[in-house]
């Protein structure tokens, strides 16, 4: 089946800007994209008039926790039973894809809920984004891990780390996640302090590499970032306290930095006494200024920064992912175009999926957002309360109403909003 989006202004996520564009989908893939007159429109194609609208690729969020619900008190959140968390996560993923986020990378989930939800999306049981799942987070034994029940797989020493990595792969993970430093959200965590050692992280990285999986490292402090880069991880998560050397190492080695400004943004916006544990709020507040500064330094020094929101953390709701891009622009860290590239093309590279997603090019997945406003002039139009008109994932209409009877979800009550 051919679908044509006709007449929009299109930014392909790379370098191409096309006025009066014609994009043709054939089933789940992009068949052609270009200026009017240069693209052949197949016979019997279903055409949607997009005159006056704007098209960009579907967004990619490289850091979420789909089984967390944004509750202020994450300890009580972790006491919610797994079965209920799973059902809740299914709904959250529908919100996420309808917000234009067509791919997510889940970096840590209790008891493999992420892998179950991923399968449910792939089997067509629920509507959600394409999900890459890490399973549990591999970490060293330390105080506070019990705060997030079922989320961590404690492993000490090279042998145990290797085994922990194999366990995640056996359960169906697509990537591996390690703790290279302490965490803000963990009561025992000292964000600046290193955790797993280089050889422990390397054991995990090597297990992943055997089958082409990458490793993501949670790392706030500079020493932990350097350990993780030396051990061969592909992405650094947060990078909050990166020093000059850590930034240089990430840039030189082509290691991606997932920014996660949204977690602090929503936590501090909620202010004290909003059920957020005191220790968590204080740690978030302490690093607020420096993390923005360091993200700026990383960008200036050529580190490949990608969109990551930490969605699921306190008040950081699934579906509000565009907050991250709005922050990039509002803080003067990126232009609107750079923000979109960070959440499409560059994010796809970070996930080793740039042959399939991230830009609107022939033979890539037909994932895109159609907007009523130009996001290159007003990034806030990507917010769910902004001006998203349609979302397509793999050529299927996920959000919006058009006069087409036979799209997969067109007659479903889940389809329109
Ligand atoms: Zn996280």
């Amino acid at each position: 089946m051919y679908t044509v989006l006709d007449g929009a202004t299109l930014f392909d996520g790379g370098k191409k800007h096309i006025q009066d564009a014609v994009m043709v989908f054939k089933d789940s893939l992009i068949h052609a994209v270009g200026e009017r007159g240069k693209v052949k429109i197949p016979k019997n194609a279903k055409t949607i008039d997009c005159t006056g609208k704007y098209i960009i690729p579907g967004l990619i969020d490289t850091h979420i926790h789909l089984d967390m619900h944004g509750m202020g008190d994450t300890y009580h959140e972790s006491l919610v039973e797994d079965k209920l968390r799973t059902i809740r996560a299914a709904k959250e993923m529908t919100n996420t894809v309808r917000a234009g986020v067509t791919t997510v990378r889940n970096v840590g989930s209790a008891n493999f809920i992420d892998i179950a939800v991923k399968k449910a999306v792939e089997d067509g049981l629920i509507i959600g984004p394409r999900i890459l799942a890490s399973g549990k987070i591999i970490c060293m034994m330390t105080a506070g891990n019990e705060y997030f029940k079922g989320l961590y797989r404690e492993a000490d020493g090279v042998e145990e780390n290797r085994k922990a990595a194999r366990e995640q792969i056996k359960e169906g993970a697509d990537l591996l996640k390690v703790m290279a430093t302490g965490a803000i959200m963990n009561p025992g965590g000292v964000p600046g302090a290193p955790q797993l050692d280089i050889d422990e992280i390397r054991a995990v990285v090597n297990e992943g590499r055997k089958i082409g999986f990458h490793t993501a490292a949670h790392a706030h402090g500079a020493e932990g970032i350097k350990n993780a880069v030396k051990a061969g991880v592909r992405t650094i998560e947060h990078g909050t306290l990166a020093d000059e050397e850590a930034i240089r190492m990430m840039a030189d080695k082509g290691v991606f930095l997932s920014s996660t400004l949204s977690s602090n943004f929503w936590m501090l916006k909620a202010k004290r006494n909003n059920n957020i544990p005191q220790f968590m709020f204080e740690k978030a507040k302490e690093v607020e200024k420096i993390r923005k500064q360091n993200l700026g330094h990383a960008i200036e020094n050529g580190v490949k920064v990608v969109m990551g929101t930490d969605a699921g953390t306190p008040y950081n709701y699934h579906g509000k992912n565009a907050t991250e891009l709005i922050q990039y622009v509002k803080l003067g860290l990126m232009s609107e175009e750079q923000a979109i590239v960070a959440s499409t093309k560059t994010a796809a590279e970070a996930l080793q999926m740039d042959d399939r997603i991230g830009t609107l090019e022939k033979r890539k997945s037909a994932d895109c957002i159609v907007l009523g406003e130009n996001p290159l002039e007003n990034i806030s139009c990507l917010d769910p309360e902004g001006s998203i008109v349609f979302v397509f994932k793999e050529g299927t209409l996920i959000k919006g109403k058009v006069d087409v009877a036979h799209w997969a979800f067109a007659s479903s009550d889940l389809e329109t909003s």
Side-chain angles (χ1 to χ4, degrees):
M1 183 182 88
Y2 290 100
T3 307
V4 178
L5 305 188
D6 185 26
T9 300
L10 181 146
F11 172 51
D12 76 346
K15 289 205 171 76
K16 267 193 201 154
H17 296 263
I18 307 171
Q19 306 279 342
D20 199 6
V22 174
M23 181 157 59
V24 183
F25 299 160
K26 186 182 181 196
D27 301 322
S28 65
L29 299 179
I30 297 170
H31 178 69
V33 58
E35 281 169 49
R36 176 180 307 287
K38 292 189 177 167
V39 174
K40 207 174 147 204
I41 298 177
K43 270 186 192 156
N44 303 324
K46 299 289 176 190
T47 299
I48 302 170
D49 181 9
C50 292
T51 310
K53 302 205 167 43
Y54 300 85
I55 300 181
I56 61 167
L59 303 179
I60 301 167
D61 191 334
T62 67
H63 188 128
I64 71 158
H65 300 280
L66 58 75
D67 59 326
M68 287 169 66
H69 192 50
M71 283 167 67
D73 183 346
T74 46
Y75 181 65
H76 280 107
E77 168 132 50
S78 82
L79 298 179
V80 176
E81 203 211 347
D82 284 352
K83 298 181 193 86
L84 185 56
R85 285 165 80 99
T86 309
I87 293 168
R88 213 175 53 176
K91 184 169 179 281
E92 306 285 27
M93 289 303 93
T94 304
N95 293 342
T96 298
V97 74
R98 281 193 187 166
V101 180
T102 48
T103 303
V104 296
R105 185 178 64 160
N106 198 78
V107 283
S109 173
N111 300 322
F112 311 108
I113 290 172
D114 54 347
I115 294 167
V117 174
K118 168 201 162 80
K119 284 180 181 157
V121 172
E122 287 175 355
D123 290 348
L125 299 173
I126 56 168
I127 298 172
R130 182 182 294 102
I131 298 172
L132 268 77
S134 74
K136 295 189 181 191
I137 301 173
I138 301 171
C139 68
M140 70 175 203
M141 189 194 299
T142 188
N145 285 350
E146 70 285 353
Y147 202 83
F148 290 90
K149 273 178 53 150
L151 175 64
Y152 294 115
R153 183 355 182 142
E154 287 185 341
D156 295 299
V158 169
E159 284 307 312
E160 256 194 72
N161 272 276
R162 185 179 293 133
K163 189 169 183 191
R166 288 177 183 172
E167 277 172 15
Q168 310 315 304
I169 294 166
K170 183 184 172 193
E171 291 290 339
D174 306 294
L175 72 136
L176 299 160
K177 164 91 182 283
V178 297
M179 294 296 280
T181 72
I184 287 172
M185 292 182 54
N186 183 317
V190 178
Q195 291 201 343
L196 287 174
D197 293 327
I198 299 176
D199 56 348
E200 291 174 317
I201 301 173
R202 193 178 285 129
V204 173
V205 169
N206 286 344
E207 280 309 306
R209 275 193 185 147
K210 286 181 185 170
I211 43 168
F213 293 174
H214 70 274
T215 298
H218 163 103
H220 289 296
E223 192 179 341
I225 295 171
K226 292 171 204 172
N227 286 347
V229 172
K230 282 179 196 160
V233 306
R234 187 166 181 86
T235 66
I236 294 289
E237 311 302 306
H238 319 300
T240 312
L241 305 171
D243 62 12
E244 220 173 285
E245 191 187 11
I247 288 172
R248 205 186 57 238
M249 283 172 70
M250 284 190 276
D252 288 351
K253 297 264 183 193
V255 171
F256 297 83
L257 174 60
S258 182
S259 52
T260 69
L261 292 173
S262 303
S263 57
N264 253 48
F265 175 82
W266 289 111
M267 225 189 291
L268 298 183
K269 199 174 158 66
K271 301 206 167 60
R272 277 193 184 80
N273 304 324
N274 235 319
N275 287 330
I276 299 172
Q278 189 70 14
F279 76 85
M280 199 183 287
F281 188 86
E282 294 305 329
K283 278 199 266 183
K285 202 158 170 270
E286 202 180 303
V287 299
E288 172 65 2
K289 200 172 158 200
I290 190 88
R291 75 181 302 168
K292 289 174 184 167
Q293 278 173 5
N294 286 341
L295 186 61
H297 291 159
I299 294 167
E300 282 161 23
N301 287 284
V303 176
K304 294 182 280 190
V305 171
V306 292
M307 177 206 200
T309 60
D310 229 346
T313 54
Y315 301 98
N316 185 3
Y317 296 119
H318 296 284
K320 293 287 280 180
N321 314 59
T323 302
E324 193 72 19
L325 307 190
I326 296 167
Q327 287 294 297
Y328 292 157
V329 175
K330 280 202 174 154
L331 295 170
L333 298 169
M334 294 188 196
S335 67
E336 286 85 350
E337 183 169 330
Q338 287 167 332
I340 292 168
V341 172
S343 59
T344 56
K345 183 177 185 287
T346 316
E349 288 164 12
L351 271 46
Q352 299 179 293
M353 295 181 78
D354 47 313
D355 57 334
R356 280 172 284 166
I357 58 169
T359 52
L360 299 174
E361 293 176 276
K362 191 174 175 168
R363 282 187 282 276
K364 287 197 178 177
S365 184
D367 301 348
C368 74
I369 311 174
V370 181
L371 296 128
E373 263 182 279
N374 189 354
L376 295 169
E377 285 167 7
N378 174 22
I379 197 79
S380 299
C381 72
L382 282 163
D383 192 81
E385 280 88 50
S387 63
I388 295 177
V389 180
F390 302 123
V391 175
F392 288 88
K393 180 195 154 203
E394 295 170 357
T396 296
L397 183 67
I398 298 288
K399 180 190 167 77
K401 276 185 189 171
V402 285
D403 186 20
V404 175
H406 60 278
W407 262 313
F409 298 111
S411 61
S412 158
D413 58 356
L414 287 169
E415 182 263 325
T416 53
S417 69

